């Protein structure tokens, strides 16, 4: 099965499509939760077990006559990323729950490559232009790494100073010129709507890596992907979850995209916790309110976090301030170990798009949580590779070639990447 579609991908896809917790799914297919857990572990984990053929067939039957028999190449189940008929990722509004989850199946398939166990060359010869006109570590490097892990090459430009935009070149000219050099463009730019302007000047795929205070759709996708994977481990589903978004909700583009994406699910409770001057824009609150969700807005951190399944903290986006007087968070706005122990549950996930401002006085998400298993920030960043690989594979139309093209990686890499993350991958 590993040579075909990994059993982990099939099982995760089945649970997503049936909207079942691990416990419910294990009982549906008549196995113990423990057995299901071992089938979901990565192949390289010592605890990993192969799913018996009979169980695989039964999962296939439940899903309607699948799994090896071509479901994953049928167009009805193929992920699509489309903006006005073109392969572009500009806004999270392009997604339905189904299309986001179809993309997650492709991301699951990419995990062995993201974990450096397998390699593929499906994008051999392709070139990515990574154009970043604002500061970035994760998004720039992970889009570049994702493209390279698919076999492509990456060209970068960073900042206005080293781009001919400093000489007055327009977005239109820049985009059209780069399109003659590259097969896809990833753009981050300080102005809202600017990435859509890049997209209008080209027929090659353009990805919005953050347009000012507008959106950051790939971040929202990797955040939801992370929430689903973590919830799967914790025996939860997204429907009915309580999500607390904390901090600069006014300028934080990650929470704008994530709130809209989560609102595609059912019966969520959103607690929007921010200083008064940094509240979530009304148009996003109205969007969430169109679903059957409960929305609470508060500036009381203690009360806001109570009972949350996910606490999604954000950095003060000081670089976007107009006349807001707030400099950083006050100490009583900081999410730290003491607060988490006091108001959060044992299963609460603590997330943050990063970077967190770790300078004294910033009072962003505290580093004293680094050894707390509830802190999911590095699982988020790790998942960014698989999700961004999936985005490229879909935009460039190679997603169906990936599984047949996988070969073993030849080099040695650590079994788990960080000193504290082993347990969640089943590597310990
Ligand atoms: N890195 C995220 C963004 O670019 C969040 C942040 O910078 O605070 O939107
Ligand atoms: N999360 C995120 O976008 O990080 P960077 O700003 O470092 O790219």
């Amino acid at each position: 099965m590993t040579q075909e579609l990994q059993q982990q991908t099939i099982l995760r896809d089945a649970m997503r499509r049936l909207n079942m917790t691990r416990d419910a799914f294990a009982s549906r297919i008549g196995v113990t939760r423990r057995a299901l857990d071992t089938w979901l572990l990565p192949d390289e984990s010592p605890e990993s077990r192969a799913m018996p053929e009979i169980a695989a067939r039964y999962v296939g039957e439940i899903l309607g006559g699948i799994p090896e028999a071509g479901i994953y190449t049928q167009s009805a189940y193929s992920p699509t990323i489309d903006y006005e008929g073109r392969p572009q990722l500009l806004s999270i509004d392009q997604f339905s729950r189904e299309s986001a989850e179809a993309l997650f199946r492709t991301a699951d398939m990419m995990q062995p490559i993201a974990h450096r166990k397998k390699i593929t060359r499906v994008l051999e010869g392709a070139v990515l232009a990574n154009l970043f006109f604002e500061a970035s570590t994760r998004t720039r490097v992970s889009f570049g790494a994702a493209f390279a892990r698919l076999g492509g090459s990456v060209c970068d430009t960073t900042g206005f100073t080293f781009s001919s935009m400093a000489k007055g070149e327009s977005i239109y000219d820049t985009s059209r010129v780069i399109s003659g050099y590259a097969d896809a463009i990833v753009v981050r730019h300080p102005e809202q709507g600017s990435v859509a302007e890049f997209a209008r000047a080209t027929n090659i795929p353009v990805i919005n890596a953050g347009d000012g205070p507008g959106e950051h759709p790939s971040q929202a996708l990797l955040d939801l992907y992370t929430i689903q994977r973590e919830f799967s481990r914790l025996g939860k589903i997204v429907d009915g979850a309580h999500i607390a978004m904390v901090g600069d909700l006014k300028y934080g583009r990650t929470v704008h995209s994530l709130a809209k994406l989560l609102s595609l699910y059912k019966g969520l409770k959103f607690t929007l916790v921010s200083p008064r001057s940094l509240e979530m824009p009304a148009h996003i609150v109205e969007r969430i309110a169109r679903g059957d969700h409960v929305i609470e807005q508060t500036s009381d951190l203690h009360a806001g976090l109570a009972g949350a399944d996910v606490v999604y903290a954000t950095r003060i986006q000081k670089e976007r301030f107009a006349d807001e007087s707030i400099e950083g968070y006050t100490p009583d706005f900081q999410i730290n170990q003491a607060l988490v122990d006091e108001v959060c549950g044992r299963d609460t996930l603590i997330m943050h798009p990063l970077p967190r401002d770790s300078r004294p006085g910033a009072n962003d998400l505290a580093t004293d949580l680094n050894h707390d298993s509830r802190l999911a920030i590095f699982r988020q960043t790790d998942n960014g590779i698989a999700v961004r690989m999936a985005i490229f594979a879909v935009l460039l139309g190679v997603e169906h070639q990936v599984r047949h093209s996988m070969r073993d990686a030849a080099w040695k890499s650590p079994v788990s990447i960080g000193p504290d993350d082993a347990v969640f991958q089943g590597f310990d």
Side-chain angles (χ1 to χ4, degrees):
M1 180 165 299
T2 329
Q3 295 313 312
E4 294 301 318
L5 199 67
Q6 307 100 353
Q7 66 186 31
Q8 299 89 345
T9 305
I10 293 171
L11 291 168
R12 285 184 191 279
D13 186 46
M15 286 187 284
R16 264 193 303 260
R17 285 171 46 198
L18 296 167
N19 202 24
M20 280 183 169
T21 62
R22 271 196 209 187
D23 284 320
F25 185 70
S27 112
R28 174 75 191 271
I29 61 173
V31 301
T32 61
R33 164 73 194 261
R34 174 79 198 132
L36 179 58
D37 285 348
T38 61
W39 300 345
L40 283 162
L41 291 171
D43 290 346
E44 60 274 21
S45 162
E47 301 273 293
S48 162
R49 296 289 174 273
M51 171 167 58
E53 209 41 58
I54 185 156
R57 230 171 304 139
Y58 188 43
V59 173
E61 270 166 34
I62 292 173
L63 287 176
I66 334 166
E68 307 288 272
I71 182 178
Y72 297 104
T73 55
Q74 288 168 16
S75 57
Y77 296 100
S78 289
T80 50
I81 302 177
D82 176 281
Y83 187 83
E84 294 177 353
R86 290 195 292 174
Q88 296 178 331
L89 174 52
L90 303 181
S91 164
I92 208 66
D93 294 340
Q94 292 169 236
F95 285 87
S96 63
R97 176 174 175 162
E98 290 70 27
S99 64
E101 294 192 349
L103 182 74
F104 295 164
R105 187 183 60 239
T106 303
D108 284 341
M109 192 171 72
M110 300 297 185
Q111 286 289 1
I113 306 172
H115 283 146
R116 309 112 201 250
K117 300 300 162 205
K118 298 280 175 189
I119 60 169
T120 181
R121 308 299 298 163
V122 287
L123 285 188
E124 190 165 18
V127 175
L128 170 70
N130 232 352
L131 311 183
F132 278 71
F133 300 102
E134 260 193 350
S136 171
T137 295
R138 270 144 294 274
T139 314
R140 185 168 56 85
V141 177
S142 67
F143 266 121
F147 205 82
R149 290 205 187 275
L150 287 166
S153 326
V154 184
C155 301
D156 258 305
T157 176
T158 45
F160 285 99
T161 322
F162 297 105
S163 132
S164 281
M165 283 193 161
K167 303 178 194 169
E169 190 163 42
S170 67
I171 287 181
Y172 182 92
D173 285 5
T174 307
S175 179
R176 174 60 191 84
V177 168
I178 296 290
S179 305
Y181 307 154
D183 301 286
I185 306 179
V186 173
V187 191
R188 172 171 287 187
H189 192 282
E191 269 154 48
Q192 188 161 351
S194 55
V195 183
E197 212 179 318
F198 270 91
R200 282 193 291 276
T202 180
N203 287 332
I204 70 169
V206 172
I207 297 174
N208 180 1
D211 61 330
E215 284 215 43
H216 195 342
S218 66
Q219 177 74 44
L221 290 163
L222 78 87
D223 288 337
L224 174 59
Y225 179 75
T226 303
I227 292 171
Q228 282 205 338
R229 283 181 78 97
E230 297 282 320
F231 273 16
S232 167
R233 178 174 63 78
L234 298 168
K236 300 180 181 183
I237 55 171
V238 179
D239 289 325
H242 178 186
I243 316 284
M245 294 183 163
V246 183
D248 185 348
L249 307 185
K250 179 176 182 180
Y251 292 114
R253 55 193 171 198
T254 68
V255 278
H256 299 168
S257 294
L258 182 59
K260 290 198 281 180
L261 186 58
L262 283 167
S263 73
L264 299 172
Y265 286 77
K266 291 200 184 84
L268 272 70
K269 178 174 174 185
F270 288 90
T271 307
L272 306 176
V273 190
S274 66
R276 289 251 178 274
S277 54
L278 298 176
E279 284 176 355
M280 185 72 96
H283 70 97
I284 310 251
V285 178
E286 279 157 23
R287 167 67 79 81
I288 308 171
R290 280 188 226 152
D292 67 337
H293 308 298
V294 173
I295 308 168
E296 284 174 1
Q297 289 182 275
T298 177
S299 52
D300 181 338
L301 189 61
H302 271 70
L305 264 50
D309 295 297
V310 177
V311 172
Y312 191 98
T314 60
R315 179 182 66 87
I316 288 265
Q317 310 281 297
K318 210 174 140 193
E319 65 273 29
R320 305 202 195 289
F321 278 18
D323 48 10
E324 292 81 353
S325 55
I326 187 165
E327 278 289 304
Y329 297 125
T330 55
D332 58 323
F333 219 86
Q334 188 179 48
I335 297 174
N336 54 29
Q337 187 77 61
L339 177 74
V340 168
D341 287 344
E342 189 188 332
V343 296
C344 296
R346 276 188 19 240
D347 282 352
T348 305
L349 291 178
I350 313 293
M351 300 176 67
H352 191 301
L354 300 182
R356 54 181 161 170
D357 188 342
S358 298
R359 290 170 294 196
N363 295 315
D364 202 336
L365 178 67
T367 51
D368 66 357
L369 282 159
N370 281 6
H371 302 288
D372 190 311
S373 58
R374 292 170 286 190
L375 190 75
I377 54 176
F378 301 120
R379 300 188 301 269
Q380 277 174 272
T381 52
D382 289 350
N383 283 332
I385 291 287
V387 170
R388 290 182 169 128
M389 287 177 74
I391 291 170
F392 283 131
V394 172
L395 286 173
L396 292 160
V398 294
E399 76 273 20
H400 297 309
Q401 295 169 37
V402 173
R403 66 191 168 114
H404 295 299
S405 71
M406 280 194 209
R407 287 181 286 125
D408 288 341
W411 69 96
K412 250 179 91 173
S413 59
V415 175
S416 70
I417 303 162
D420 294 317
D421 52 26
V423 68
F424 303 103
Q425 307 286 359
F427 292 136
D428 62 332

